[in-house]
Amino acid sequence: MSQITQAKLKDLSVIKLYEHYAALEKSLPLLTPESQELAQAELESCANLRSEKIDRIYYAMAAHEDALERIKKEGDLITQAKRHHESQLRSLKGLLNYLRRVLPLDSNKITGRNYQFTLVKKKELTVEVSSDPEFWHSKERELYCVTEEVTTTKRVVLRSMSGEILDERIEPKSTTKVLPSLDAIRNAYQEGQQLPHGVKVLQEYSVRSKRIFAEPKLDLAPSEYPTELLREDSSAD
């Protein structure tokens, strides 16, 4: 027997191993030389098991860190894929919008073999702004920008544990942002005025799609052999 106690060291958690080691080490001066040898052997076994379990903590942490890194990379890939498909979808809708412009004025359908697109004109012109209004010319900012001011109010109340108000204050916070005035830009476009760099106005269409189901063709011409279509039944009489 290489232990002085009855403890099942392999079943102890790392915390219990630390506690057991400390208690056994503290008891050494109280033991006989023979018992001290057993205690020293048990301390060594306890220390070895404790070291193994400490290493397992590292392995577990490393495994979770690797998993988080893979999840992060996967999330980045999903975000990239989402942006790619959104961009492709916008491009395809843009193509349909372009094709609509070459259709006759009284037609709003683009028809393929199996699918048909119906394009409905949107009520408002679409404004695309790819430049920063902060860098527009002062005259352009005056004509085509608005200032958005957002004020949020924070009410802070300190109360005693019995509910008595000890202090109360209001903390307002305001933020100001310069934004394009979409209505002013649309009006200027319709009047043929020069727009700031990076500003486009487009007439876009809502796109609806449907599957085309071909109607079955029926042969309405009389058969050259009508009697062959009738089954003779000798038991009719």
Side-chain angles (χ1 to χ4, degrees):
M1 179 178 181
S2 59
Q3 285 189 217
I4 193 172
T5 70
Q6 300 298 318
K8 296 180 180 180
L9 299 181
K10 291 184 178 181
D11 295 338
L12 297 182
S13 67
V14 65
I15 295 175
K16 292 297 183 181
L17 285 171
Y18 266 96
E19 293 175 350
H20 183 74
Y21 188 95
L24 188 58
E25 188 178 40
K26 189 175 181 179
S27 68
L28 279 177
L30 306 177
L31 302 176
T32 64
E34 294 80 5
S35 297
Q36 285 183 354
E37 289 183 8
L38 288 175
Q40 288 290 355
E42 185 169 342
L43 284 173
E44 184 177 353
S45 298
C46 185
N48 289 335
L49 287 170
R50 186 179 63 185
S51 297
E52 289 179 11
K53 297 202 174 186
I54 292 295
D55 287 348
R56 290 179 193 172
I57 293 175
Y58 170 82
Y59 301 144
M61 289 177 62
H64 289 303
E65 287 171 352
D66 290 344
L68 287 172
E69 188 63 27
R70 288 195 299 272
I71 291 170
K72 181 179 179 299
K73 289 180 179 179
E74 188 69 19
D76 292 340
L77 291 174
I78 290 173
T79 299
Q80 293 174 11
K82 180 175 180 288
R83 290 174 181 168
H84 168 74
H85 291 302
E86 288 174 344
S87 174
Q88 293 297 308
L89 186 58
R90 284 194 299 270
S91 297
L92 292 169
K93 287 185 176 180
L95 174 60
L96 290 172
N97 274 268
Y98 176 81
L99 293 175
R100 170 62 183 83
R101 298 188 191 105
V102 301
L103 291 176
L105 292 177
D106 59 348
S107 175
N108 67 339
K109 298 185 185 301
I110 300 173
T111 304
R113 177 178 299 173
N114 297 316
Y115 293 92
Q116 182 182 77
F117 297 99
T118 301
L119 288 87
V120 180
K121 182 185 291 186
K122 292 184 178 180
K123 293 181 179 179
E124 287 189 336
L125 295 170
T126 299
V127 178
E128 293 183 355
V129 180
S130 59
S131 57
D132 189 346
E134 294 283 355
F135 299 104
W136 290 359
H137 189 275
S138 58
K139 185 64 174 177
E140 293 175 334
R141 285 161 57 90
E142 182 180 344
L143 291 173
Y144 304 122
C145 287
V146 292
T147 301
E148 179 187 69
E149 182 176 335
V150 179
T151 301
T152 56
T153 302
K154 180 180 178 182
R155 179 171 175 260
V156 181
V157 180
L158 296 179
R159 299 179 184 271
S160 67
M161 297 304 294
S162 62
E164 179 186 357
I165 296 179
L166 304 176
D167 185 34
E168 183 176 3
R169 63 184 183 275
I170 303 296
E171 298 179 356
K173 181 180 179 182
S174 297
T175 57
T176 303
K177 187 187 298 183
V178 176
L179 300 174
S181 175
L182 302 184
D183 289 337
I185 291 173
R186 291 188 186 100
N187 293 336
Y189 171 80
Q190 291 173 332
E191 294 171 3
Q193 298 179 19
Q194 181 69 33
L195 297 177
H197 175 71
V199 176
K200 292 195 304 183
V201 179
L202 306 170
Q203 175 61 68
E204 291 193 324
Y205 298 82
S206 298
V207 179
R208 302 169 187 169
S209 60
K210 74 171 185 178
R211 184 72 160 84
I212 299 173
F213 295 97
E215 293 293 338
K217 296 182 179 180
L218 300 177
D219 187 2
L220 300 179
S223 171
E224 296 181 6
Y225 310 100
T227 57
E228 294 181 3
L229 300 178
L230 301 176
R231 186 172 67 88
E232 294 183 0
D233 189 349
S234 57
S235 63
D237 294 331

